[in-house]
Amino acid sequence: MRVIVTRPRAQAEALVRELQGAGIDAVALPLIHIAPLSDALPLQQAWAGLPQAALVVFVSANAVLHFMCQRPAHLAWPAHLLAGSTGPGTSAALRAAGVPAPLLVEPAGKVFDSEALWRQLQARDWRRRHVCVVRGEGGRDWLAERLAAAGAQVEFVTAYERQLPRLDSTGQALLDAASLQPRQHLWVFSSSQAVAHLGQLAPHADWSAAGAVAPHARIVERARQLGFGQVGQAAVSAPALAIAVAAAERRSIQSGAP
């Protein structure tokens, strides 16, 4: 069973190395291309307003990287400013960027998403507090809606663009192999947009015999809508994916697939 990781390239390659170290046949097929903004002025303006903010939420490691690259040379992370993270990769990027550990707010436990982060934030008083949500172009509004309902003044900051990737010959060969032998591949989706991009890149593929794993119910549902026959919900981590691979291999054997 080959595992196909669809995260943006930098995050996909890191997870692939971890999976390979655990003895899993894993490859990267990034289904989202991350591109910098053509105009950096909004990011620079966001940095200028940070001293007035109480919280900055980063939805991904890419949000951290593209936001931090616009940091003015003379400006340190404000000593009062909380940094919200939705998962381990984002937290690692924030620590690497110099955000002090006491200011980092992240999910507790094994579930990493906006809902888990909200559980760490909801007990605080957000009335009339300024909150920035740093994300790619578009994105999910669920956490921002919770903060706004709690009285926060929420501002979205777009740090990068998510684009349909252009597959090179290696990527196209991998996609072709996965569509021809769907039972022998397990897809790992970390976003609904990655699923949508797969639909654009392989509009006529039949995924009814293919398996997939996603960390959130909405992504699971999107994969099912695309036609995936077996979709499980699990954290995108080497231990969780090892369990998912074993289960997928059992199903393949039971179905009599070659």
Side-chain angles (χ1 to χ4, degrees):
M1 182 68 64
R2 168 166 281 186
V3 175
I4 300 178
V5 180
T6 64
R7 283 176 164 177
R9 184 163 300 281
Q11 291 75 42
E13 291 176 348
L15 180 57
V16 164
R17 288 192 296 269
E18 187 179 359
L19 292 170
Q20 290 175 342
I24 296 172
D25 180 11
V27 291
L29 182 61
L31 293 181
I32 296 178
H33 174 65
I34 301 297
L37 300 178
S38 58
D39 181 7
L41 181 59
L43 288 177
Q44 295 165 358
Q45 292 173 335
W47 269 103
L50 284 193
Q52 288 73 51
L55 168 70
V56 181
V57 175
F58 294 89
V59 303
S60 66
N62 283 306
V64 177
L65 296 174
H66 286 268
F67 186 78
M68 293 296 182
C69 74
Q70 295 299 326
R71 184 198 317 212
H74 66 281
L75 186 61
W77 187 262
H80 71 282
L81 182 58
L82 297 176
S85 162
T86 55
T90 306
S91 296
L94 286 167
R95 287 190 288 267
V99 175
L103 297 176
L104 180 59
V105 184
E106 57 188 338
K110 298 181 180 180
V111 177
F112 307 111
D113 56 18
S114 296
E115 287 86 342
L117 176 57
W118 174 240
R119 286 194 286 272
Q120 303 303 309
L121 295 171
Q122 60 185 348
R124 299 174 183 264
D125 184 3
W126 296 108
R127 289 173 295 180
R128 297 180 296 280
R129 309 297 296 277
H130 183 201
V131 175
C132 295
V133 178
V134 182
R135 63 182 188 176
E137 196 172 27
R140 191 178 178 222
D141 295 341
W142 186 90
L143 181 58
E145 292 170 355
R146 302 287 83 71
L147 286 161
Q153 299 172 343
V154 181
E155 172 191 6
F156 291 105
V157 178
T158 299
Y160 59 91
E161 295 180 358
R162 291 190 295 261
Q163 300 175 351
L164 181 72
R166 295 183 179 180
L167 298 185
D168 58 16
S169 58
T170 301
Q172 188 61 54
L174 176 57
L175 178 56
D176 292 343
S179 62
L180 289 172
Q181 297 177 310
R183 295 183 189 275
Q184 297 180 19
H185 296 81
L186 181 70
W187 293 80
V188 179
F189 296 114
S190 298
S191 75
S192 296
Q193 190 171 25
V195 182
H197 283 174
L198 177 61
Q200 292 178 256
L201 292 168
H204 304 298
D206 179 3
W207 302 114
S208 59
V213 176
H216 198 279
R218 72 181 185 281
I219 310 173
V220 169
E221 180 58 28
R222 186 65 186 86
R224 288 172 177 159
Q225 291 172 357
L226 189 61
F228 277 82
Q230 295 286 343
V231 189
Q233 185 172 337
V236 181
S237 66
L241 291 175
I243 296 172
V245 170
E249 289 175 340
R250 286 194 300 271
R251 287 195 299 269
S252 181
I253 291 171
Q254 291 167 0
S255 68

